[in-house]
Amino acid sequence: MENRTSFLPQEGEAHPSRCPDNSAFKQQRLPAWKPQLTIVTVLSSFFLTGAFCLTVGVCLVLSANSVREIQIDYSDKCSHCSKLRENSSNWNKECHCSINFTLKDDILGDVFMYYGLQNFYQNHRRYAISRSDAQLLGRNVNIHKSYCAPFSTYRNGTPMAPCGAIANSMFNDTIDLFYNRNSSVIQVPLLKTGNSWWTDKNVKFRNPESYNLSAAFAGTARPPYWQKPVYLLDEEDERNNGYVNDDFIIWMRVSAFATFRNLYRRVRRIRHFVDGLPAGNYTFRISYNFPVTKFKGKKHVILSTVVWSGGSNPFLGIAYVVSGTAAILTGFVITAIHLKLRKKKTYFQKQ
């Protein structure tokens, strides 16, 4: 029989101890609280949680339904421009179309204009990473080491600014809104700036340091699908150019779904539009540049108000209502099981 005593420490030998230190933390002697689950506490938790979720959900749904929104699909209404844009050789030819609509009631308060795209997948991995965050911070970087390819440089070696597939596919339709008041046509004043997140505008995107933007982007070229260089995105406001252009910043925040909308403009509340958009006849005048036919997409322009909970999206409210209903139903099921078991226990005790 094998002698196993050789593995034991001999007398006088020091042996290392693997026991934890004799402290309250390592010996698990810290004070602790353990809930005592009773039928009263369990049912109270389920019913209170359900009531809370139902209340919040109903408030969110009612709030979302109170949003005024008008959505117009202009993909087919501007079909002649769409056919022109399908041919890439016509990139420098302008095409305009107009869409008339009527507001039966006033839209009071702040009015936001969005553009919406359908069947445009920004969540593809190769697309979502095709950018250079260092370049967008205004740094002089080697974009060959980024994920921008094949939209990083031209064949002659000139780097693109900005590089990447996201920037190259930037939405570039121009949308203007006109109010037909009696016999006159009044252009609705729209705000181009102040639409992006503060953190994006002031932290994540910066222009290269130089005495002017054209010099800062010297030696670079616009992406292939762009009609203007990055330093001329807004010819009316020099502060809204380059990488800090609001339209560019908003586009660079990619969507998780194939159907999405991005904030485009806000109605400036002056003169005839102090209270919002009055009822009447309106016209969208669109400079059509963004083709969607090849990927069977759709384009929308949306006018909408917002409330304390956001826009007209009832998803969060419905989720709360469903969660609250499930919690209350679970509470009733547990109550029924408890009563049934209690009756059985009482019956056997009497026997």
Side-chain angles (χ1 to χ4, degrees):
M1 185 175 183
E2 184 182 356
N3 184 10
R4 299 181 180 273
T5 58
S6 60
F7 294 99
L8 298 176
Q10 301 298 321
E11 186 177 354
E13 291 184 2
H15 60 282
S17 174
R18 295 186 179 181
C19 295
D21 296 337
N22 188 21
S23 63
F25 176 76
K26 292 187 177 181
Q27 294 297 335
Q28 300 183 14
R29 294 195 300 266
L30 291 175
W33 176 78
K34 181 180 180 181
Q36 297 295 327
L37 297 180
T38 64
I39 189 63
V40 175
T41 57
V42 171
L43 290 179
S44 300
S45 301
F46 274 100
F47 285 120
L48 288 176
T49 302
F52 172 78
C53 290
L54 278 177
T55 303
V56 174
V58 170
C59 292
L60 289 173
V61 170
L62 293 176
S63 177
N65 290 337
S66 67
V67 173
R68 292 287 310 279
E69 180 175 297
I70 295 175
Q71 179 171 306
I72 297 175
D73 185 340
Y74 67 93
S75 306
D76 298 329
K77 296 180 180 179
C78 299
S79 57
H80 63 289
C81 290
S82 178
K83 293 178 181 178
L84 180 71
R85 285 288 171 260
E86 291 304 322
N87 188 349
S88 59
S89 62
N90 297 325
W91 67 271
N92 58 344
K93 296 181 180 179
E94 293 186 358
C95 189
H96 302 272
C97 61
S98 299
I99 300 172
N100 300 318
F101 67 98
T102 301
L103 287 182
K104 296 181 180 179
D105 301 310
D106 297 344
I107 299 182
L108 302 177
D110 294 327
V111 182
F112 299 82
M113 181 188 293
Y114 300 83
Y115 63 84
L117 291 177
Q118 183 177 340
N119 207 37
F120 189 95
Y121 289 85
Q122 288 189 313
N123 56 4
H124 192 282
R125 178 181 175 276
R126 290 285 300 277
Y127 179 90
I129 66 174
S130 184
R131 59 189 291 164
S132 172
D133 292 321
Q135 183 194 48
L136 298 176
L137 282 171
R139 298 173 184 170
N140 186 13
V141 295
N142 183 5
I143 60 176
H144 290 284
K145 297 181 180 179
S146 67
Y147 294 103
C148 288
F151 301 102
S152 54
T153 59
Y154 285 92
R155 292 182 179 179
N156 60 2
T158 304
M160 298 180 190
C163 70
I166 307 176
N168 183 59
S169 61
M170 177 180 167
F171 183 85
N172 57 352
D173 283 0
T174 302
I175 306 172
D176 293 314
L177 180 61
F178 293 87
Y179 174 44
N180 305 316
R181 185 171 182 265
N182 299 327
S183 58
S184 59
V185 178
I186 303 171
Q187 184 171 4
V188 179
L190 302 174
L191 294 172
K192 297 181 180 180
T193 57
N195 301 324
S196 59
W197 292 14
W198 185 92
T199 51
D200 287 348
K201 186 83 172 181
N202 297 277
V203 178
K204 294 184 178 181
F205 293 82
R206 295 176 184 174
N207 284 325
E209 294 183 1
S210 182
Y211 61 92
N212 62 43
L213 276 183
S214 60
F217 289 99
T220 64
R222 59 177 176 80
Y225 292 170
W226 284 28
Q227 297 174 323
K228 300 177 181 179
V230 66
Y231 54 87
L232 290 178
L233 289 178
D234 188 352
E235 299 180 5
E236 298 177 0
D237 187 355
E238 294 182 357
R239 297 171 298 176
N240 191 36
N241 269 314
Y243 297 147
V244 296
N245 176 266
D246 273 49
D247 292 338
F248 174 70
I249 291 174
I250 291 173
W251 178 259
M252 293 299 290
R253 183 174 288 277
V254 297
S255 172
F257 301 100
T259 299
F260 61 93
R261 64 176 63 177
N262 284 335
L263 181 59
Y264 182 67
R265 297 288 184 266
R266 290 176 295 132
V267 174
R268 187 178 180 187
R269 297 176 64 176
I270 58 173
R271 298 192 296 272
H272 304 286
F273 312 100
V274 172
D275 298 323
L277 292 179
N281 297 320
Y282 288 84
T283 301
F284 280 123
R285 293 184 185 174
I286 301 168
S287 176
Y288 197 106
N289 299 306
F290 194 87
V292 295
T293 307
K294 285 188 176 181
F295 57 88
K296 299 179 181 180
K298 296 286 185 180
K299 292 193 293 186
H300 307 85
V301 58
I302 303 114
L303 292 174
S304 175
T305 59
V306 295
V307 290
W308 62 271
S309 60
S312 63
N313 187 355
F315 174 78
L316 185 60
I318 294 173
Y320 267 102
V321 170
V322 171
S323 301
T325 304
I328 290 177
L329 289 177
T330 304
F332 281 119
V333 171
I334 294 175
T335 303
I337 295 173
H338 172 68
L339 293 177
K340 186 176 180 179
L341 293 178
R342 190 173 65 174
K343 286 182 180 179
K344 278 187 176 182
K345 185 177 180 181
T346 304
Y347 173 77
F348 285 116
Q349 285 176 351
K350 289 181 178 180
Q351 294 296 325

